[in-house]
């Protein structure tokens, strides 16, 4: 029987007298392996010294605070902020990149990993580099063909691609220095994250845990791309021998043939580095499959899933770990942004690392040892009542583990209470500014789970949305998004700004007393860092998910953000739950005081909804079979109720949907594999494909 569930792919609050010290502004390192004499070349020293004028590393500094000391733009004058220039990235898919700015140049990535080098003053293109990625790889990416930006070092720019490559380019010309492969192409690895560079080593992980991979992070020599070390985040097959004692230790926390599906634990986004402690911090993702009862049937915590792991950057040697979600079963990754800061807690200065992972708790840990200091839920959470202060482990609710239970709406859902969208920490206010959200999900055990490498392997039933307006309206009311100012010492909210829904942009804070954030409803706003009062707002036409930056050139302060609506929530749900994005034009937008330029006018498309294909005469059983197969295979990209997000072709009105032959050629013969539409023949047969077609046509005719 077809159960109606929701992949609602979907899913509170004062001021402190905190210490204002910058966390890791320590003395320059004595010796990088290749210290550059020229002051304008980027090294560990320049990143540690955190030159105020540029934005040299993904999180601005190794502490990843995403806070700038610039204050020319401040609470008193931000009302005069205006658009100086915009640059069209030539794409209509998600833009998640943080621009990097150095020496008057801005480097930003767009869809399919195209790197754009711009004059940071004018937006004039200096060069563009297209790595010509294998687009078939997008079919193996969980969450849109996105990328979060480049890294710079010396006189080179480094970019990692969706097809698993790491590339070094000449920063001035875009000429390729080297181009290496970082993945085993027989597995569905993809890269969406931005590299970080520490002590001449380019660090990069990858994604793919939904589809069946074994996670790892690797270090490569900046000069030639030679691999220096690799740290696996989960153990492999014991029969093959363990790579090191750490993997042997981790394997004791797994049961069953966990290695068959890869295990997961991909390190797809967050890193931070403390030069004084010489520790590299890596955020680790969920397991393959999600469902712990299937993945590790006789129990076990499954290290290092959903953990923060501290490593030696020179060797990749394990130092400590803290697991946020033991025996992870809900896609509760700990890959979310991590921030290093020094906080006075109970009268003692502590070197802390802070994270607000998907599971809904805000963690403060000692970053030297991994010792648990405190944790509190920053959104409503239903899977656990609290984190036990003695053990540092969550106390789960009886409903949390879903095997053999009726589905109930759980918070957070797989989209998380906070996803990849970066937060910021202001040493001035002592507050962490979090793009928080509520997007619930009903987890249901999949009775007939079978691992299919390269396809979504969650061990859970998704289920499409109920196809009636009243229920959809009720579901939409459960979807929430907010800018949350969180006091990490008191573990409580200072203030909150409610947005129209989830999936809003990353955050920047400045010593101008401001917090900047873009929103799903196509605006870019500035808020008072102490109160949350909105001080300025700009209509971006396109929803914003990326994080803003700021930089100074010729004595003037600029604020920049990349717009472009996309990512996992958008693909799966934004067609049903629209937010206000009027167009989807990937752009870089740069603002300064007194500028008054306007965005190009929107081309209003008088698009009439076409006639859907004629209903197929099929039984209710066939429709139900098609609905289930659609939900478990197609929904994550083509959207709930086949209601397109606009990022990829709309199945409801596609000519392919109206032709049985064309549908078969695409769905189970791979005719569009090169465009990123996978060949599903390993997953289901022609009859099921046709049942999916009947379901899509039925929902297209339901309007
Ligand atoms: Ca995941």
């Amino acid at each position: 029987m077809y159960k109606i569930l929701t992949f609602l792919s979907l899913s509170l609050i004062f001021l402190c007298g905190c210490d204002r010290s910058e966390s890791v502004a320590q003395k320059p390192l004595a010796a990088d392996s290749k210290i550059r004499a020229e002051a304008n070349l980027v090294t560990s020293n320049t990143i540690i010294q955190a030159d105020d004028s540029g934005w040299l590393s993904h999180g601005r500094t190794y502490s990843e605070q995403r806070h700038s000391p610039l204050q020319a733009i401040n609470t008193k004058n931000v009302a005069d902020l205006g658009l100086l220039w915009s640059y069209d990235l030539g794409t209509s898919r998600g833009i998640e990149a943080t621009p990097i700015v150095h020496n008057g140049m801005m480097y930003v990535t767009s869809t399919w990993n195209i790197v754009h080098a711009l004059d940071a003053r004018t937006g004039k293109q200096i060069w563009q580099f297209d790595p010509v990625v294998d687009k078939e790889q997008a079919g193996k990416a969980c969450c849109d063909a996105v990328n979060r930006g480049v890294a710079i070092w010396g006189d080179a720019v480094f970019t990692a691609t969706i097809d698993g490559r790491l590339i070094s380019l000449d920063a001035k010309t875009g000429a390729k220095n080297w181009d290496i492969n970082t993945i085993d192409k027989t597995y569905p690895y993809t890269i969406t994250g931005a590299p970080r560079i520490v002590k001449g080593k380019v660090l990069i992980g990858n994604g793919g845990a939904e589809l069946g991979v074994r996670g790892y992070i690797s270090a490569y020599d900046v000069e030639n791309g030679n691999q220096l070390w690799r740290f696996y985040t989960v153990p492999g097959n014991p029969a093959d021998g363990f790579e090191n004692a750490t993997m042997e230790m981790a394997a004791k926390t797994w049961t069953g043939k966990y290695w068959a599906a890869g295990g997961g634990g991909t390190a797809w986004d967050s890193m931070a580095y403390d030069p004084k402690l010489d520790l590299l911090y890596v955020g680790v993702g969920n397991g393959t499959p999600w469902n712990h009862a299937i993945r590790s049937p006789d129990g076990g915590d499954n290290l290092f899933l959903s953990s923060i792991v501290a490593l030696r950057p020179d060797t990749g040697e394990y130092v400590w770990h803290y697991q946020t979600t033991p025996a992870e079963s809900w896609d509760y990754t700990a890959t979310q942004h991590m921030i290093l800061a020094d906080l006075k807690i109970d009268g003692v200065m502590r070197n802390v690392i802070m994270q607000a992972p998907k599971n809904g708790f805000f963690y403060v840990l000692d970053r030297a040892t991994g010792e648990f200091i405190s944790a509190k839920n920053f959104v409503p959470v239903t899977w656990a009542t609290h984190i036990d202060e003695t053990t540092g482990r969550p106390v789960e609710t009886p409903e949390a583990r879903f095997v053999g239970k009726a589905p109930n709406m759980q918070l957070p859902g797989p989209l998380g209470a906070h996803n990849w969208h970066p937060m910021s920490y202001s040493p001035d206010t002592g507050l962490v500014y979090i793009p928080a959200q509520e997007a619930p999900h009903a987890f249901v055990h999949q009775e007939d789970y079978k691992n299919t490498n390269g396809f979504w392997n969650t061990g859970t039933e998704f289920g499409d949305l109920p196809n009636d307006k009243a229920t959809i309206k009720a579901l939409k009311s459960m979807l929430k998004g907010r800018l949350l100012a969180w006091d990490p010492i008191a573990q409580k909210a200072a203030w909150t700004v409610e947005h129209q829904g989830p999936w809003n942009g990353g955050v920047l804070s400045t010593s101008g007393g401001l917090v900047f954030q873009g929103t799903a409803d196509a605006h870019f706003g500035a808020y008072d860092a102490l109160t949350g009062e909105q001080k300025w707002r700009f209509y971006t036409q396109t929803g914003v998910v990326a994080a803003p930056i700021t930089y100074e050139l010729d004595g003037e302060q600029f604020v920049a953000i990349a717009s472009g609506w996309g990512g996992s929530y958008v693909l799966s749900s934004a067609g049903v739950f629209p937010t206000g994005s009027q167009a989807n034009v990937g752009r870089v937008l740069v603002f300064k005081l007194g500028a008054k330029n306007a965005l190009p006018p929107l081309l209003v498309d008088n698009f009439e909804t076409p006639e859907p294909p004629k209903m197929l005469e099929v039984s209710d059983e066939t429709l139900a079979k098609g609905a289930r197969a659609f939900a478990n295979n197609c929904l994550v990209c083509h959207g709930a109720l086949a209601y397109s997000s606009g990022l990829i072709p709309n199945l409801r009105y596609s000519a392919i949907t109206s032709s049985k032959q064309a549908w078969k050629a695409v769905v189970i013969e791979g005719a569009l594999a090169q465009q990123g539409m996978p060949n599903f023949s390993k997953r289901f047969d022609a009859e099921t494909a046709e049942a999916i077609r009947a379901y899509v046509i039925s929902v297209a005719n339901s309007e």
Side-chain angles (χ1 to χ4, degrees):
M1 198 178 100
Y2 171 60
K3 290 179 203 153
I4 290 179
L5 308 170
T6 48
F7 178 65
L8 262 190
S9 46
L10 324 193
S11 327
L12 309 171
I13 309 200
F14 293 121
L15 257 166
C16 72
C18 318
D19 184 83
R20 296 186 170 205
S21 61
E22 161 78 22
S23 73
V24 286
Q26 285 88 10
K27 288 177 198 154
L29 286 187
D32 265 332
S33 59
K34 301 233 178 356
I35 287 231
R36 307 294 185 136
E38 300 95 322
N40 63 342
L41 295 186
V42 175
T43 65
S44 283
N45 287 332
T46 47
I47 296 173
I48 292 163
Q49 286 163 353
D51 172 7
D52 294 352
S53 65
W55 194 281
L56 300 183
S57 184
H58 190 61
R60 201 181 83 87
T61 60
Y62 283 137
S63 66
E64 301 256 335
Q65 291 184 354
R66 287 182 175 262
H67 177 86
S68 168
L70 296 179
Q71 44 188 289
I73 299 168
N74 55 54
T75 49
K76 292 190 176 64
N77 61 20
V78 68
D80 295 332
L81 197 61
L83 183 70
L84 178 66
W85 55 262
S86 68
Y87 173 86
D88 194 330
L89 291 164
T91 171
S92 60
R93 296 187 72 150
I95 299 293
E96 300 186 355
T98 296
I100 296 290
V101 173
H102 179 55
N103 275 350
M105 295 273 283
M106 176 184 289
Y107 305 95
V108 63
T109 55
S110 64
T111 313
W112 308 121
N113 303 102
I114 295 171
V115 184
H116 302 256
L118 313 176
D119 182 324
R121 293 173 175 84
T122 63
K124 179 175 172 277
Q125 186 190 99
I126 308 295
W127 55 259
Q128 179 179 301
F129 172 79
D130 181 353
V132 194
V133 297
D134 174 5
K135 293 183 180 172
E136 189 168 355
Q137 205 76 9
K140 297 176 182 168
C142 70
C143 310
D144 200 0
V146 292
N147 182 265
R148 299 190 196 87
V150 302
I152 52 172
W153 187 270
D155 47 11
V157 173
F158 300 82
T159 184
T161 65
I162 197 158
D163 57 359
R165 291 141 68 197
L166 181 64
I167 302 170
S168 167
L169 305 171
D170 183 295
K172 288 198 175 67
T173 65
K176 196 191 284 185
N177 295 321
W178 49 257
D179 181 343
I180 57 135
N181 171 40
T182 72
I183 60 171
D184 176 345
K185 297 226 176 191
T186 60
Y187 291 92
Y189 289 104
T190 51
I191 301 180
T192 55
R196 313 297 202 277
I197 307 182
V198 170
K199 300 162 88 174
K201 296 169 184 67
V202 194
L203 305 158
I204 191 72
N206 44 57
E210 270 64 44
L211 294 92
V213 299
R214 182 185 177 200
Y216 59 82
I217 179 170
S218 321
Y220 298 89
D221 189 323
V222 287
E223 298 296 332
N224 49 33
N226 289 344
Q227 186 182 315
L228 301 172
W229 54 258
R230 175 163 292 174
F231 177 82
Y232 283 96
T233 53
V234 295
N237 186 344
D240 298 337
F242 296 111
E243 288 84 1
N244 50 49
T246 304
M247 284 298 103
E248 194 171 357
M249 177 263 278
K252 294 190 171 78
T253 67
W254 292 72
T255 56
K257 291 188 177 174
Y258 57 84
W259 57 86
T266 47
W268 54 265
D269 193 63
S270 65
M271 288 181 243
Y273 172 60
D274 183 330
K276 199 163 140 195
L277 295 167
D278 196 31
L279 287 176
L280 170 72
Y281 306 97
V282 181
V284 181
N286 59 278
T288 310
W290 290 353
N291 191 335
H292 178 262
I294 294 172
R295 187 179 67 239
S296 190
D298 297 315
D301 284 350
N302 296 181
L303 294 175
F304 294 101
L305 297 183
S306 304
S307 302
I308 296 173
V309 181
L311 306 173
R312 290 289 171 211
D314 287 332
T315 58
E317 179 197 353
Y318 163 89
V319 181
W320 61 255
H321 77 275
Y322 175 82
Q323 190 173 39
T324 60
T325 312
E328 193 286 313
S329 205
W330 312 273
D331 193 18
Y332 288 166
T333 60
T335 47
Q336 281 57 52
H337 180 195
M338 301 178 293
I339 291 179
L340 314 184
D342 298 347
L343 304 179
K344 197 177 233 173
I345 298 173
D346 295 331
V348 181
M349 285 305 293
R350 302 290 299 262
N351 298 324
V352 308
I353 182 167
M354 303 185 282
Q355 189 186 45
K358 276 189 184 179
N359 77 12
F361 289 91
F362 187 93
Y363 293 86
V364 180
L365 311 175
D366 184 311
R367 71 172 177 271
T369 61
E371 180 200 343
F372 174 85
I373 296 176
S374 66
K376 189 77 197 271
N377 60 303
F378 61 96
V379 293
V381 159
T382 65
W383 74 280
T385 55
H386 64 288
I387 309 298
D388 184 286
E389 287 188 8
T390 311
T391 63
R393 293 173 68 93
V395 179
E396 291 179 15
T397 57
E399 304 80 43
R401 306 247 161 210
F402 45 87
V403 180
K405 292 184 188 142
N408 75 316
M409 291 295 262
Q410 180 163 311
L411 272 172
L415 285 174
H418 170 219
N419 207 296
W420 61 268
H421 317 76
M423 51 190 198
S424 84
Y425 167 72
S426 166
D428 301 337
T429 63
L431 298 174
V432 180
Y433 303 97
I434 311 169
Q437 59 189 22
E438 295 176 31
H441 178 78
F443 290 91
V444 177
H445 179 74
Q446 192 168 49
E447 293 292 346
D448 56 353
Y449 169 78
K450 177 166 76 62
N451 174 48
T452 323
N453 180 270
F455 295 86
W456 275 62
N457 294 295
T458 66
T460 66
E461 295 280 346
F462 277 3
D464 206 345
L465 296 178
N467 195 7
D468 76 89
K469 289 193 167 70
T471 313
I472 286 173
K473 194 175 168 193
L475 290 171
K476 186 168 187 183
S477 71
M478 299 169 77
L479 295 173
K480 295 172 184 169
R482 63 184 64 100
L483 175 58
L484 171 61
W486 189 259
D487 178 339
I489 299 175
Q491 287 282 15
K492 65 179 185 183
W495 53 259
T496 174
V497 172
E498 289 295 321
H499 298 318
Q500 290 185 19
W503 214 248
N504 300 288
V507 180
L508 161 74
S509 57
T510 73
S511 290
L514 292 168
V515 178
F516 290 90
Q517 186 191 26
T519 44
D521 64 355
H523 285 83
F524 183 38
Y527 305 84
D528 186 312
L530 286 172
T531 64
E533 182 194 350
Q534 190 171 77
K535 307 294 282 186
W536 171 82
R537 197 168 186 231
F538 180 87
Y539 176 54
T540 53
Q541 300 177 350
T542 297
V544 180
V545 291
I549 65 158
T550 188
Y551 55 97
E552 185 183 75
L553 278 169
D554 316 320
E556 276 195 299
Q557 186 183 352
F558 301 81
V559 176
I561 190 156
S563 64
W565 185 224
S568 55
Y569 170 76
V570 181
L571 284 170
S572 63
S573 310
V576 186
F577 304 109
T579 59
S581 193
Q582 293 292 303
N584 204 357
V585 187
R587 290 193 182 110
V588 178
L589 310 175
V590 173
F591 302 85
K592 74 166 194 172
L593 293 174
K596 290 184 172 13
N597 290 317
L599 285 174
L602 276 176
L603 296 174
V604 179
D605 196 351
N606 289 317
F607 176 76
E608 282 183 35
T609 305
E611 285 296 310
K614 279 209 167 54
M615 287 287 284
L616 302 185
E617 286 186 25
V618 297
S619 66
D620 288 352
E621 287 73 22
T622 299
L623 273 186
K625 178 183 176 179
R628 181 179 182 229
F630 177 86
N632 285 329
N633 296 286
C634 318
L635 181 152
V636 290
C637 291
H638 287 284
L641 299 171
Y643 212 134
S644 174
S645 59
L647 269 57
I648 57 175
N650 190 332
L651 294 187
R652 288 181 166 214
Y653 309 111
S654 165
I656 291 165
T657 309
S658 57
S659 158
K660 181 175 179 175
Q661 285 72 27
W663 183 268
K664 185 179 172 208
V666 171
V667 178
I668 59 172
E669 289 166 10
L672 295 179
Q674 293 300 313
Q675 278 95 306
M677 166 62 195
N679 177 337
F680 278 86
S681 59
K682 280 190 197 154
R683 191 77 167 179
F684 48 72
D685 59 15
E687 194 188 322
T688 306
E690 185 61 6
I692 296 173
R693 190 169 79 93
Y695 170 69
V696 168
I697 293 173
S698 76
V699 291
N701 279 280
S702 67
E703 292 288 296

